[in-house]
Amino acid sequence: MAYAAAAQIVVVAMVAAMLLSAPYAANAAITCEQVNPVFGSCVKNMRAGVPLSTACCTGLKSLASSLTTIDDNRSTCSCFKTFVAKDNGVKLGRVLGLPRMCGISGRSTLSVILPSC
């Protein structure tokens, strides 16, 4: 009888922990819906080497500051690869240089993960 009561307490505690952590897990990683518009705003530069728009650099800086977890980095990398693969006119060298051209530090997570994707 004591064993059954202890097992019920453990189950209730596990369910409560899952319910309490659910809102945080739902926001854990950055999505492609967040990443793609950032790279989309830079697409003119990526294709032709035209001057960077303010929207491009602002978006990249915001994205860089949002990368706080390993899951964020992995999601951003995955979205980046998909974005570049879909757009055949994009020159990879220009894309990899975008953080630097926008003044994002070489130690920034974004500057580090893009070349390693």
Side-chain angles (χ1 to χ4, degrees):
M1 179 92 167
Y3 177 75
Q8 286 178 338
I9 291 172
V10 169
V11 170
V12 169
M14 288 174 57
V15 170
M18 288 189 307
L19 290 173
L20 290 173
S21 67
Y24 301 106
N27 296 322
I30 291 177
T31 66
C32 290
E33 287 76 25
Q34 295 167 288
V35 173
N36 290 346
V38 173
F39 289 117
S41 69
C42 301
V43 78
K44 287 181 182 177
N45 178 265
M46 288 188 268
R47 286 189 180 146
V50 298
L52 295 175
S53 68
T54 302
C56 169
C57 286
T58 301
L60 284 173
K61 288 176 183 176
S62 177
L63 177 61
S65 67
S66 299
L67 301 176
T68 58
T69 67
I70 291 171
D71 285 342
D72 291 338
N73 295 348
R74 287 180 182 149
S75 293
T76 300
C77 187
S78 175
C79 297
F80 171 73
K81 286 195 267 187
T82 302
F83 182 85
V84 171
K86 287 182 180 178
D87 194 352
N88 294 329
V90 173
K91 294 182 180 179
L92 188 57
R94 292 188 199 272
V95 177
L96 295 176
L98 283 171
R100 181 187 43 78
M101 290 186 278
C102 286
I104 298 172
S105 160
R107 287 183 261 159
S108 161
T109 305
L110 187 62
S111 299
V112 173
I113 67 164
L114 290 185
S116 65
C117 287

